[in-house]
Amino acid sequence: MTSPFDAPAPVPAPEDRDARPQYVLPLLVRLEKATPPGRTDALETSARAVLTLLADPRVTEADGEWAERVAAWEDARIRKVVRRARGGEWRKAGELPGITVTGQQAEVRVFPPIPLDGWPKELAKLQVSGTDLEEAGPVDAAGAGIPVLWLNPELEMSAGKAMAQTGHAAQLAWWRLSDAQRKEWAGSGFALAVRTATPETWAELVASGLPLVQDAGFTEIAPGPTVALEGGERYCPVGRLRRP
């Protein structure tokens, strides 16, 4: 498989969209006490969940039932919030419209965007904090030819915050792809890896010249720092993002 980032489409200049109605993309990670997923597994699954939603016919078709909400969400700030659930909470949330994506052990459910003040009660009561996951085992080097989402080595983030950031990174990549590249990536099951860059590699990522998006600083970190995305030999530093 060729890297989906080898030939990015032109990116239009950003514009200020703060005055538009604001939406959020809810993500829910299953966090059972006895069997929590590994951190990297959760981060990769979150990124794949975002991509799976963006590729869903309910979003891509002009008359898709989620298309209007996704378009409104993409026209403003691209907010994502990760909450956690277990047991009955997870089962009840699974009855809401959405898509569940599985990793090695991780399970992440992504829901269509909702207004900032329009959380359904099944999700509104769930906790955002408490997603400090440990690795389930050694994290190997990413496989050859697999796109990698690189994390900033200078930042400390909870797994939930990092899951939202890897979702941002994957979405930014998706916007830059042609239809053929999107189809190819989807055919691979959205194969990707999440790794933390070394300080030396991070400097190269930031200086690479591909799009840079700053974190808005709404939650755990101050405005400015970034996470990063790369595919093959192409690097793209990103953080919380706006629609290009």
Side-chain angles (χ1 to χ4, degrees):
M1 172 184 173
T2 59
S3 167
F5 310 114
D6 284 344
V11 178
E15 63 178 306
D16 188 355
R17 301 169 188 264
D18 288 345
R20 301 187 181 188
Q22 301 294 308
Y23 287 77
V24 61
L25 186 79
L27 291 153
L28 187 64
V29 58
R30 186 174 185 180
L31 205 59
E32 303 290 347
K33 285 186 176 180
T35 56
R39 180 183 174 93
T40 295
D41 186 18
L43 269 57
E44 293 174 346
T45 305
S46 177
R48 290 174 47 238
V50 171
L51 292 166
T52 300
L53 177 107
L54 294 174
D56 192 280
R58 288 168 287 186
V59 173
T60 60
E61 298 295 333
D63 58 351
E65 62 180 294
W66 297 345
E68 185 174 348
R69 273 190 281 173
V70 169
W73 170 60
E74 291 185 336
D75 276 344
R77 285 184 178 268
I78 308 301
R79 288 180 167 95
K80 298 178 181 70
V81 172
V82 178
R83 296 178 184 263
R84 60 184 173 89
R86 63 172 181 266
E89 295 173 335
W90 175 261
R91 290 189 292 273
K92 288 180 181 179
E95 296 173 1
L96 298 174
I99 305 168
T100 298
V101 175
T102 59
Q104 296 177 357
Q105 291 182 314
E107 292 181 69
V108 175
R109 187 165 180 83
V110 58
F111 304 88
I114 57 174
L116 283 179
D117 58 354
W119 285 82
K121 64 181 186 298
E122 295 88 347
L123 299 180
K125 65 182 181 181
L126 301 178
Q127 294 294 314
V128 176
S129 61
T131 53
D132 296 322
L133 299 173
E134 303 292 336
E135 295 295 356
V139 178
D140 298 328
I146 296 178
V148 181
L149 311 183
W150 291 105
L151 296 177
N152 187 334
E154 299 178 356
L155 295 181
E156 293 186 6
M157 295 183 285
S158 68
K161 174 69 172 178
M163 287 171 67
Q165 295 285 18
T166 57
H168 295 333
Q171 186 171 2
L172 186 62
W174 180 257
W175 284 340
R176 293 173 59 80
L177 303 182
S178 67
D179 288 343
Q181 290 170 320
R182 290 177 175 181
K183 184 175 181 180
E184 182 181 7
W185 202 11
S188 75
F190 294 113
L192 56 82
V194 174
R195 298 292 185 269
T196 299
T198 64
E200 295 77 17
T201 301
W202 184 253
E204 182 182 351
L205 291 168
V206 172
S208 63
L210 290 183
L212 177 67
V213 183
Q214 304 296 330
D215 190 276
F218 291 130
T219 53
E220 297 178 11
I221 57 180
T226 62
V227 296
L229 175 159
E230 73 90 13
E233 298 301 318
R234 305 297 294 272
Y235 300 93
C236 177
V238 303
R240 188 175 299 277
L241 53 96
R242 297 177 187 222
R243 184 75 161 92

